[in-house]
Amino acid sequence: MEDAKTILARWAEMESARLPWDSAWQMASDYALPRKGNIARTETPPGSNAGNRLYDTTAIQAVTTLANGHASYITPPGTRWFAWEAPEDIKGDRADAWYNEASEKAAKILSTTNFYTTLNEAFLDRSAFGVCCIAAMPSAERVVSFQAHPVGSYCIDEDAEGNVDTIFLKKRHGIRQLVQLFGEEAVKANERLAKSWERFKEKGSNAEHEVVHAIFPRVERQRGKHDVYNMQYASVWVSSDGKTVLQRSGVPELPYCVSRYLKRSGSGMYYGYSPFEEVKAAVLEANKTRQILQVVGQRLAVPSVLIPDNLVGNVDSRPGGRTVFKSSGQGALPQEWLNRGRPEGMHEQLADARETINAAFHVDLFRMFAQIDKQMTAREVSERAAEKLMQFSPAFTRFTADFQVMMERVFAILFRAGIFGRMDEIPREVIRRTSEGAEVPAPKVIYQSRIALAIRQAESAAADRLVERVLGVANAAPDALDNLNLDEYVRVAARNDGVPEAVLRPVKERDALREDRAKAQQEQAMAQMMAAQAQAGAAVQ
């Protein structure tokens, strides 16, 4: 299963199954993201006429707004938009503190890498095509480096739960880069690559060759062994030219993160569903309407002219066009004609199409975020944008679920690089014991960006309203408070507002404090009762 023939055969099968998406992505690129236009057609050079059919740029602006909204309000550079917590099975104050400190170190390192510039490219793909792919690899210079791979260059497959666990990626490399990546010995083992390498050494010709990188779960491996051939995922690099394996290895976690905007329903629907799919008709309508209005405007500015004489040639309906005709009377003068169209209805039609496009890409939501005062709390933001936030919430939830793969990969790379300390320095509360030995599990990710907090606030707004209502009637009916678990409400509300976990007392500490208080109150009441009895006895005497 890890030989060149099998890998290339599976790539061909997956690529064939992806063809319907290629054509859909090509259309989305043509009208919404033109600079990524070489998906289902031959590469077009800069300055080509591929964009001449584009008359309306509403979809382009909408994709840009949605992608920028991801970058500015989900993963904003320069702010703590995420924190790590201990998984539930090892959760505790000391474990949470260690993971939180690790996330602070990770955030600082990410800010020094190409992480955010890579995310920008990925967010454009996710917004326009409904799917994106990011690689996270160890780096000698930066500890970790990232790369966004364009749609059409990779194929994916899912596990039984619908999670992407198989990624095949094809990319062209120069022969010099192949030697750098895999060594001269691996290159020389392939006859075609060996000849290409010789030509490079003789003439400096850095010919390009296609390479497929396959990542997939290993069906057969010896658990407990940690060598590259028994890791959870196989990693195989195969040269399409000559059909040889350049490198066979393994990784303990997925090096590629694939995120879908939304998911299609149905068997084999692995790739994402983008807003463009919902408003394709509106995009085409806006483009056609804008084309017609452009012609109408040109004709009004430079009207066609009717010239009396024998008609020569065809009717010229272009802006400024001249049509020569035979006049029936003497002294006929040139006059305007065919300029009585009424474009007013088309302006309304164009406005409706643009409104539909902007709504699908949540343009109003992110424009509103840009205009809201930065000092507003997450609750104030959510109150202003509750309806729009709920419409965006499914796409945000899908992102957080998919991005767990990236966070686990970053954590693992930094952990193996010693960024979080040596194994003997890690608190024992963080270490999980398994049948395969001891491990430090991947963290639970808590998103703390403004939109994440605002969505959580919007989701808990109903609880806020309920508590306000119950408190309003509590004076008349105190028993109404018995319906509420106020302890849980306070803790959920604090977390939804982004309050640091350190502000909340641990549940055990809170309960112990209450027990001590109740005990002290009981002892005080007992002392007061005994004092009162003593006074009563003295009075009788």
Side-chain angles (χ1 to χ4, degrees):
M1 191 172 180
E2 299 182 19
D3 60 281
K5 183 178 179 181
T6 303
I7 295 295
L8 293 177
R10 189 174 182 189
W11 163 262
E13 179 183 348
M14 296 171 73
E15 188 179 33
S16 176
R18 198 198 61 205
L19 286 177
W21 280 276
D22 287 354
S23 58
W25 294 334
Q26 185 63 64
M27 176 177 281
S29 174
D30 290 341
Y31 291 97
L33 198 56
R35 74 178 178 87
K36 298 193 176 188
N38 300 318
I39 300 171
R41 61 169 177 249
T42 305
E43 292 189 6
T44 53
S48 66
N49 297 326
N52 286 355
R53 67 174 70 91
L54 190 62
Y55 295 91
D56 186 81
T57 61
T58 303
I60 296 176
Q61 296 167 1
V63 165
T64 302
T65 299
L66 180 55
N68 290 344
H70 279 70
S72 299
Y73 302 111
I74 298 179
T75 61
T79 64
R80 278 292 302 279
W81 53 269
F82 75 94
W84 290 341
E85 287 185 356
E88 292 299 326
D89 63 322
I90 63 168
K91 194 167 183 60
D93 290 344
R94 194 171 182 186
D96 279 339
W98 186 86
Y99 278 100
N100 186 59
E101 183 180 353
S103 65
E104 291 177 354
K105 294 179 180 178
K108 291 179 181 179
I109 290 177
L110 291 179
S111 66
T112 66
T113 69
N114 63 336
F115 177 71
Y116 290 104
T117 55
T118 301
L119 273 185
N120 291 341
E121 290 298 314
F123 287 151
L124 284 170
D125 285 359
R126 189 174 192 264
S127 301
F129 309 123
V131 64
C132 65
C133 178
I134 312 173
M137 299 294 180
S139 170
E141 296 180 0
R142 304 176 181 176
V143 185
V144 58
S145 65
F146 303 88
Q147 183 176 5
H149 294 282
V151 293
S153 68
Y154 56 87
C155 299
I156 61 176
D157 199 355
E158 296 179 336
D159 62 17
E161 296 180 354
N163 302 309
V164 174
D165 67 347
T166 300
I167 303 100
F168 279 48
L169 186 143
K170 178 183 281 189
K171 187 176 181 181
R172 298 184 69 85
H173 291 275
I175 188 64
R176 183 172 68 90
Q177 287 73 39
L178 290 179
V179 172
Q180 291 174 336
L181 289 170
F182 307 111
E184 191 170 357
E185 183 178 346
V187 169
K188 285 184 175 181
N190 182 307
E191 184 178 352
R192 294 186 183 180
L193 298 185
K195 292 180 179 178
S196 180
W197 176 235
E198 290 302 321
R199 284 194 298 270
F200 173 79
K201 290 192 293 184
E202 293 174 3
K203 301 179 180 180
S205 175
N206 191 27
E208 290 189 338
H209 302 271
E210 285 187 344
V211 175
V212 173
H213 186 202
I215 297 289
F216 53 92
R218 277 201 168 103
V219 178
E220 296 180 358
R221 66 187 182 100
Q222 296 184 31
R223 298 181 181 276
K225 286 191 174 183
H226 302 291
D227 60 276
V228 294
Y229 303 113
N230 286 287
M231 288 184 175
Q232 184 175 357
Y233 296 96
S235 172
V236 186
W237 296 81
V238 176
S239 171
S240 299
D241 294 335
K243 299 178 174 57
T244 61
V245 173
L246 295 173
Q247 184 185 83
R248 176 174 170 259
S249 182
V251 286
E253 66 280 327
L254 288 172
Y256 297 109
C257 170
V258 176
S259 177
R260 282 75 61 88
Y261 187 82
L262 292 174
K263 278 195 65 176
R264 300 168 182 263
S265 61
S267 176
M269 298 297 180
Y270 306 139
Y271 299 95
Y273 185 80
S274 72
F276 183 86
E277 292 294 320
E278 293 186 359
V279 294
K280 186 189 305 180
V283 172
L284 296 176
E285 180 183 6
N287 196 64
K288 184 63 177 179
T289 304
R290 185 70 183 85
Q291 180 186 10
I292 296 172
L293 287 174
Q294 180 176 318
V295 173
V296 171
Q298 290 173 344
R299 289 182 61 82
L300 290 174
V302 188
S304 301
V305 176
L306 192 64
I307 299 177
D309 202 341
N310 291 331
L311 180 64
V312 178
N314 298 320
V315 173
D316 189 348
S317 60
R318 297 173 299 172
R322 298 187 177 196
T323 298
V324 181
F325 75 106
K326 184 177 181 179
S327 174
S328 60
Q330 298 292 327
L333 299 175
Q335 57 183 296
E336 295 183 14
W337 77 308
L338 297 180
N339 297 320
R340 298 180 181 179
R342 299 184 61 82
E344 293 82 3
M346 299 197 74
H347 284 294
E348 296 178 2
Q349 184 178 347
L350 178 60
D352 289 343
R354 286 174 169 174
E355 183 179 353
T356 300
I357 295 168
N358 288 332
F361 285 92
H362 307 283
V363 171
D364 290 344
L365 171 65
F366 291 110
R367 284 178 179 171
M368 182 197 65
F369 265 94
Q371 296 169 359
I372 286 177
D373 184 356
K374 292 183 178 180
Q375 301 302 317
M376 281 188 173
T377 64
R379 180 173 181 176
E380 291 171 327
V381 172
S382 69
E383 288 175 350
R384 288 197 179 190
E387 181 179 355
K388 294 182 176 65
L389 281 169
M390 288 301 98
Q391 293 173 354
F392 182 68
S393 181
F396 174 76
T397 302
R398 166 60 57 184
F399 169 78
T400 58
D402 291 339
F403 210 67
Q404 178 71 23
V405 172
M406 176 58 65
M407 289 283 97
E408 291 180 4
R409 175 66 170 171
V410 169
F411 174 81
I413 291 175
L414 299 185
F415 178 81
R416 289 193 288 267
I419 300 301
F420 308 139
R422 301 189 310 271
M423 193 67 178
D424 58 357
E425 297 174 336
I426 296 175
R428 58 181 179 83
E429 291 85 352
V430 175
I431 299 174
R432 176 191 289 163
R433 305 292 176 180
T434 68
S435 58
E436 299 184 15
E439 66 174 10
V440 175
K444 176 182 178 182
V445 184
I446 305 297
Y447 290 88
Q448 299 177 328
S449 61
R450 290 178 69 196
I451 199 167
L453 296 177
I455 287 176
R456 292 207 294 267
Q457 264 291 343
E459 291 172 346
S460 63
D464 293 339
R465 292 192 296 269
L466 174 62
V467 170
E468 289 175 2
R469 292 193 192 102
V470 173
L471 291 176
V473 302
N475 291 332
D479 290 348
L481 288 172
D482 296 340
N483 291 287
L484 301 180
N485 184 346
L486 292 177
D487 282 339
E488 189 63 23
Y489 168 77
V490 169
R491 303 183 82 82
V492 170
R495 293 189 176 101
N496 284 350
D497 276 335
V499 174
E501 197 69 23
V503 174
L504 295 174
R505 292 184 187 275
V507 173
K508 291 182 179 179
E509 183 179 332
R510 179 202 66 193
D511 293 344
L513 182 65
R514 287 177 174 175
E515 290 178 5
D516 292 342
R517 184 188 300 126
K519 184 177 180 180
Q521 290 173 347
Q522 184 179 6
E523 291 175 351
Q524 183 179 4
M526 183 66 69
Q528 290 174 349
M529 184 181 67
M530 293 179 65
Q533 290 176 348
Q535 289 179 357
V540 171
Q541 294 177 357

